[in-house]
């Protein structure tokens, strides 16, 4: 029940985000979930790679270069698949894929949505934020400071 409630709240938020742009829920959902989120992942990985290059952190450069290429390939694949469809068809195609995934996993459509668009993307962004802090040496300092308290 809580999953359906959270899902409904997030759908409402997407609807409200689209209003100033004259977009309905379906359009806003497609533009944010299918296009913006993957681009945000690519941007996070590229920024982390950039920071690693600037700080000359070889391990981070290699790892984030691989992650960046992976994100770019996934994003290009997503864009190539969906760009040939109308927004309505994009929304429906994605929705039916999520329903299929929910059947396969044995969880609700709403839960799959939350796992992908909230949990997964949040984990990716937080992962890259922590990497940037580690590259800058701020993560280590923060951990040492907390140990001394």
């Amino acid at each position: 029940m809580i999953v359906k409630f959270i899902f409904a709240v997030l759908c409402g938020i997407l609807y409200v985000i689209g209003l100033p742009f004259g977009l309905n829920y379906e359009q806003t959902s497609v533009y944010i979930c299918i296009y913006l989120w993957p681009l945000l992942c690519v941007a996070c990985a590229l920024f982390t790679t950039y920071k690693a290059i600037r700080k000359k952190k070889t391990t981070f450069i290699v790892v984030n270069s691989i992650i960046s290429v992976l994100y770019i390939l996934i994003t290009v694949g997503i864009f190539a698949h969906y760009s040939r469809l109308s927004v309505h068809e994009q929304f429906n195609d994605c929705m039916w894929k999520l329903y299929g995934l929910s059947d396969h996993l044995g969880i609700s459509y709403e839960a799959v949505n939350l796992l992908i668009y909230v949990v997964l993307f949040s984990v990716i962004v937080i992962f890259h934020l922590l990497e940037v802090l580690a590259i800058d040496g701020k993560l280590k300092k923060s951990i040492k400071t907390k140990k001394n308290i």
Side-chain angles (χ1 to χ4, degrees), residues 29-55:
S29 181
V30 164
Y31 297 141
I32 289 177
C33 298
I34 293 177
Y35 294 105
L36 184 62
W37 277 127
L39 286 174
L40 180 62
C41 291
V42 169
C44 287
L46 290 174
F47 179 73
T48 307
T49 304
Y50 165 77
K51 290 289 281 189
I53 291 168
R54 297 256 317 161
K55 296 283 186 167

Side-chain angles (χ1 to χ4, degrees), residues 17-140:
I17 288 170
L19 286 177
F21 304 101
L23 303 173
N24 61 31
Y25 165 76
E26 194 174 87
Q27 294 165 321
T28 306
S29 181
V30 164
Y31 297 141
I32 289 177
C33 298
I34 293 177
Y35 294 105
L36 184 62
W37 277 127
L39 286 174
L40 180 62
C41 291
V42 169
C44 287
L46 290 174
F47 179 73
T48 307
T49 304
Y50 165 77
K51 290 289 281 189
I53 291 168
R54 297 256 317 161
K55 296 283 186 167
K56 297 179 173 84
K57 303 280 185 164
T58 308
T59 305
F60 285 103
I61 294 169
V62 171
V63 169
N64 281 287
S65 295
I66 293 167
I67 291 171
S68 294
V69 168
L70 180 65
Y71 289 170
I72 290 168
L73 290 173
I74 291 169
T75 301
V76 167
I78 290 169
F79 286 14
H81 173 73
Y82 285 108
S83 64
R84 61 185 170 77
L85 305 172
S86 70
V87 171
H88 179 70
E89 291 169 327
Q90 291 175 40
F91 180 84
N92 285 333
D93 184 68
C94 184
M95 181 182 67
W96 286 114
K97 284 183 169 111
L98 293 174
Y99 271 116
L101 187 57
S102 72
D103 287 343
H104 180 72
L105 297 175
I107 58 177
S108 71
Y109 165 79
E110 294 85 359
V112 168
N113 241 296
L114 293 177
L115 284 172
I116 293 172
Y117 296 113
V118 176
V119 176
L120 178 64
F121 285 116
S122 296
V123 166
I124 289 170
V125 170
I126 290 168
F127 168 75
H128 287 293
L129 175 63
L130 291 174
E131 273 193 310
V132 167
L133 293 174
I135 289 167
D136 287 342
K138 294 178 182 174
L139 190 61
K140 199 178 233 182

